[in-house]
Amino acid sequence: MVSNFIDRNFIKHKEYCENEEYKGWDPYDGLNSKVFQALPFKKYDIARLAWIQGFKRSPINLRKVLMVPKEYNAKGIALFLNGYCNLYQAAKNGNTSYGRPVELLDNIRSLGELLISLKTEGYSGAAWGYNFDWQARRLFLFKKNTPTVVATSFAVDALIKAYEITKDREFLNTALSAADFVMNDLNRTEKENGFLFSYSPLNGNNTVYNASLLGSKILAICYHYTKNEKYYEAAKASVQACVDQQREDGSWLYGELKVQNWIDSFHTGYNLDALSYFQKYTGDYTYQDNIKRGFDYYINNFFLADGTPKYYHDKVYPIDIHCPGQLPVTLSSLNKFNEHKELTDKVMQWTFDNMQDEKGFFYYQMKKGLSSKIPYMRWSQAFMFYGISHYIKENSKNA
């Protein structure tokens, strides 16, 4: 059985991540290099951009020789926390292959506390960023730990799930305070109907659809627990602005800038996931047709018949590990897992066969030529842990 094959190989993956203590490298962590920080070039945007891209694109891992340390990444820890919450639910349903509920509870509590310790201080509410400086093209520099709505949304989702299991009020209160970050610290780009939340409090990346929808996701969750109508109203305004930009065929471009006019797999999944959360946590089903059209486009355009996951709608390569990782998440969120289980089995089988190393970690990307097999912790290991845990949780319901 495919699920048994995945169980065996996921155990290797889980052991790898636990042995690394969830610390690792990232595709974008080049500026953490102690060598680069000692050079005068660090003052120049073009040098920072070239250095990051060199690290990201190289199939050879330069991080040890250029002194980039393995570190915690807040989004990565949130993904692991979410994953352990799913494994806990699977264990409660009878699948204890990854630990008994009491053991998994220890993982949930320790990762929840770690995640809270990683939040960025100085904002209106709880917020999380990345553990490295990031030069986004030449337009702007995100300094280390600058909070983003993306990292914050994953943290909020994970802490809420951890709260529902542990009933630890610190997890709940920290998550709910993130609504103030979204409401007060993110920029808004006004549209004909509603507005778009920015990617971060800094100017730049102000018109990315998945980022705005993840802001709505945070507010919808917080509305559910607080019944603060301002959260619902702002969440709906952002959702409306984003669905207005959905194309006739159900797809979304990544963003409004000319350099953001692509359509890809996992960001489409993010959009659908956020819309499903908006429905679930607000009870507002206005956008059910948008979800249906978006999902039809997603499921019909990003996966080949043999289970190969595509990155873009019109080409396969590079195959990014996020593409298969997001599939069980989206299916779980939209309650479509059983309907598409055969495809999911094929995608998971293909991914384990082609993108998992014998040591247990997953590769970053596969290309037609030389692929990157560097074991990135946030991008590859945490995201696949998160995705496979959804697969395991959904399968446990049918055991």
Side-chain angles (χ1 to χ4, degrees):
M1 291 178 62
V2 174
S3 58
N4 291 337
F5 166 82
I6 291 174
D7 278 350
R8 291 194 303 272
N9 286 278
F10 180 63
I11 287 173
K12 289 171 59 179
H13 177 60
K14 180 173 177 285
E15 289 175 348
Y16 173 86
C17 297
E18 290 174 344
N19 289 336
E20 293 291 319
E21 298 180 335
Y22 316 108
K23 289 183 178 181
W25 293 303
D26 194 272
Y28 298 93
D29 66 2
L31 296 185
N32 278 354
S33 164
K34 294 179 182 178
V35 173
F36 184 77
Q37 290 302 318
L39 297 173
F41 305 115
K42 68 179 183 180
K43 300 177 182 178
Y44 302 102
D45 54 8
I46 189 65
R48 294 192 297 264
L49 183 60
W51 189 269
I52 289 175
Q53 289 300 315
F55 272 74
K56 178 175 176 286
R57 295 171 184 272
S58 174
I60 300 171
N61 193 356
L62 306 171
R63 288 165 178 79
K64 280 188 177 180
V65 67
L66 294 175
M67 303 176 68
V68 176
K70 292 183 177 181
E71 295 181 345
Y72 291 127
N73 180 287
K75 180 181 172 184
I77 297 302
L79 291 166
F80 282 121
L81 174 57
N82 199 313
Y84 278 104
C85 289
N86 288 334
L87 296 181
Y88 176 87
Q89 297 297 343
K92 296 286 282 187
N93 290 336
N95 183 353
T96 57
S97 299
Y98 316 103
R100 293 177 294 116
V102 66
E103 297 166 339
L104 295 166
L105 203 56
D106 288 339
N107 293 110
I108 292 168
R109 288 188 173 122
S110 62
L111 285 170
E113 291 168 1
L114 174 58
L115 182 57
I116 290 174
S117 76
L118 294 173
K119 71 180 188 294
T120 302
E121 301 295 342
Y123 291 86
S124 299
W128 289 263
Y130 298 138
N131 59 305
F132 44 78
D133 291 347
W134 173 43
Q135 184 73 47
R137 297 182 301 282
R138 292 189 64 182
L139 297 178
F140 41 85
L141 172 68
F142 284 110
K143 296 296 291 181
K144 179 183 293 190
N145 296 322
T146 298
T148 72
V149 69
V150 176
T152 301
S153 72
F154 281 95
V156 168
D157 188 19
L159 286 172
I160 287 293
K161 288 179 179 175
Y163 163 72
E164 290 296 347
I165 291 169
T166 66
K167 300 306 178 185
D168 186 326
R169 298 289 299 186
E170 184 182 14
F171 294 166
L172 176 64
N173 293 336
T174 302
L176 295 183
S177 77
D180 291 327
F181 166 72
V182 176
M183 295 290 287
N184 301 328
D185 299 328
L186 295 180
N187 301 309
R188 301 183 184 188
T189 300
E190 297 294 331
K191 308 302 290 183
E192 182 176 354
N193 298 305
F195 58 81
L196 299 177
F197 285 117
S198 63
Y199 188 88
S200 84
L202 304 181
N203 278 320
N205 272 12
N206 287 349
T207 53
V208 174
Y209 302 129
N210 78 86
S212 191
L213 285 170
L214 290 174
S216 294
K217 177 179 176 178
I218 293 170
L219 293 179
I221 293 171
C222 294
Y223 168 76
H224 174 78
Y225 287 92
T226 66
K227 301 307 178 190
N228 187 327
E229 287 294 326
K230 291 182 179 180
Y231 297 166
Y232 165 69
E233 292 165 2
K236 189 178 178 77
S238 161
V239 167
Q240 185 62 56
C242 291
V243 299
D244 282 350
Q245 298 306 313
Q246 187 177 22
R247 290 152 48 120
E248 188 71 24
D249 60 7
S251 67
W252 281 273
L253 298 175
Y254 174 79
E256 291 190 351
L257 298 179
K258 287 185 178 180
V259 294
Q260 297 170 334
N261 281 184
W262 72 81
I263 302 169
D264 75 82
S265 173
F266 65 89
H267 287 113
T268 302
Y270 281 13
N271 291 348
L272 294 169
D273 187 53
L275 288 172
S276 73
Y277 268 71
F278 176 79
Q279 284 194 160
K280 175 183 176 181
Y281 283 101
T282 68
D284 183 342
Y285 283 76
T286 303
Y287 306 104
Q288 183 62 38
D289 181 64
N290 298 95
I291 293 175
K292 181 183 182 304
R293 290 193 295 114
F295 179 75
D296 288 345
Y297 186 89
Y298 174 74
I299 206 70
N300 291 322
N301 285 276
F302 293 115
F303 305 96
L304 301 183
D306 67 350
T308 303
K310 295 165 58 180
Y311 194 121
Y312 299 107
H313 71 296
D314 56 354
K315 59 182 179 179
V316 175
Y317 293 97
I319 300 175
D320 190 288
I321 196 65
H322 267 48
C323 301
Q326 181 62 35
L327 176 61
V329 180
T330 299
L331 294 176
S332 177
S333 184
L334 272 60
N335 295 316
K336 291 182 176 292
F337 183 85
N338 289 337
E339 182 181 344
H340 297 279
K341 187 178 184 305
E342 182 178 352
L343 172 64
T344 312
D345 285 346
K346 288 182 179 180
V347 172
M348 292 294 100
Q349 178 88 50
W350 186 96
T351 305
F352 277 97
D353 285 344
N354 292 279
M355 297 189 76
Q356 187 181 30
D357 190 87
E358 61 180 12
K359 294 181 180 178
F361 65 82
F362 286 93
Y363 303 142
Y364 166 46
Q365 286 185 345
M366 286 185 62
K367 299 180 180 179
K368 287 184 178 180
L370 198 58
S371 298
S372 176
K373 297 182 178 181
I374 301 169
Y376 296 126
M377 188 57 71
R378 168 188 68 110
W379 192 275
S380 308
Q381 314 326 319
F383 203 84
M384 278 303 289
F385 190 96
Y386 166 70
I388 298 167
S389 72
H390 279 82
Y391 177 91
I392 291 167
K393 181 188 72 173
E394 291 297 327
N395 269 325
S396 74
K397 295 177 181 178
N398 303 316

